[in-house]
Amino acid sequence: LPSERPWEPFQFHTAESLRLAKKALTRFYDGREMGKLLVSTVALEVERAQDMAVQASHEPRFWRTPFPSRMVQPVLSEIEDLCADLRILHRASHVYKSEHAGHPDIDALLRPVRKEPVWKECVSDMLTQFDAVSTLLARVLAHESSSANEHLLNYQHNMQANDRIEDLVDAITPLLKYAPELDVLDDPRARIGVAIFIINSVHNRLDFVVEAVMRY
């Protein structure tokens, strides 16, 4: 029986890394524990995708288009950086709570703003963008006899997503108080700033994935 081509597990692990990253962020948005295991699993899926990509790049292509290294490498690099974002966000929120007794964790600090419409809009933007990018990437990688152009024509980008991040910052700022006597890591304002920075970074990572596909 013919063995499985490395191309198939490469596709699977790439898609799985995005699915699990979305799951972790959904937990954060909901105020739930992201989970160290889940965050680690995202990174593991990216590593597996990278390993399979190397193997797939060396398999005979025959009638298929050349292996899209110029697209695959930057895409996996961005997903890898997204994993780093998740680790920072996890450490700044849930891990911080257990290591710094007496100081509120990010989930508690964000609780008031989670009721604001702008928070729900940002959550919707992020999850919708994850679905759009995941679908685009899956469709592009599914066809080895055509370019990405036809799939890009059906891709719809939410241009207002980054503007809503700025609105979110404006909404959060009045809820926080300066604590100049505290170390920067203990200052709620600084730690909320880290969370918003990471959320914005994740938005950018997804944009960069699309750019990598467009440049291919």
Side-chain angles (χ1 to χ4, degrees):
L1 293 176
S3 60
E4 184 181 40
R5 293 177 55 218
W7 181 261
E8 279 86 14
F10 157 67
Q11 290 177 278
F12 172 80
H13 293 304
T14 300
E16 191 69 358
S17 65
L18 286 174
R19 185 187 72 82
L20 293 175
K22 176 186 174 184
K23 182 177 180 179
L25 282 167
T26 300
R27 289 183 179 181
F28 171 78
Y29 277 131
D30 292 342
R32 294 181 287 138
E33 169 72 54
M34 291 174 69
K36 183 178 180 179
L37 178 59
L38 177 57
V39 174
S40 299
T41 303
V42 178
L44 180 60
E45 288 298 322
V46 177
E47 291 179 10
R48 288 170 174 166
Q50 291 170 330
D51 290 341
M52 288 298 103
V54 172
Q55 295 184 41
S57 67
H58 291 101
E59 70 174 344
R61 302 297 292 180
F62 300 116
W63 52 266
R64 305 179 182 93
T65 55
F67 182 81
S69 296
R70 288 190 299 111
M71 175 182 69
V72 169
Q73 292 176 356
V75 164
L76 292 181
S77 178
E78 292 301 335
I79 301 176
E80 187 175 32
D81 288 342
L82 195 154
C83 291
D85 289 339
L86 291 178
R87 285 194 293 269
I88 294 172
L89 194 57
H90 177 256
R91 181 167 182 80
S93 55
H94 309 294
V95 177
Y96 186 93
K97 176 171 54 178
S98 62
E99 294 181 354
H100 296 73
H103 297 293
D105 62 292
I106 283 183
D107 290 330
L109 294 168
L110 288 175
R111 196 166 294 133
V113 81
R114 281 196 171 97
K115 301 176 182 178
E116 298 293 326
V118 67
W119 178 269
K120 296 178 181 179
E121 291 171 355
C122 282
V123 173
S124 176
D125 286 336
M126 174 70 78
L127 301 185
T128 299
Q129 187 70 351
F130 252 99
D131 290 339
V133 172
S134 298
T135 299
L136 170 66
L137 198 55
R139 288 176 176 172
V140 168
L141 296 178
H143 300 282
E144 300 179 78
S145 59
S146 60
S147 69
N149 294 338
E150 59 188 270
H151 305 292
L152 284 169
L153 293 175
N154 296 322
Y155 174 77
Q156 294 184 345
H157 184 71
N158 186 352
M159 300 298 293
Q160 296 180 336
N162 289 334
D163 291 338
R164 288 208 179 95
I165 292 290
E166 296 180 5
D167 294 339
L168 180 60
V169 173
D170 293 339
I172 287 177
T173 300
L175 301 177
L176 302 176
K177 296 180 180 180
Y178 281 112
E181 73 282 0
L182 297 177
D183 180 87
V184 64
L185 292 178
D186 292 329
D187 185 348
R189 196 181 191 94
R191 289 170 51 226
I192 289 294
V194 169
I196 300 303
F197 175 82
I198 293 300
I199 291 173
N200 186 59
S201 177
V202 172
H203 271 285
N204 291 336
R205 303 290 182 208
L206 295 174
D207 290 345
F208 294 153
V209 167
V210 176
E211 288 180 12
V213 175
M214 293 179 68
R215 288 194 299 265
Y216 172 60

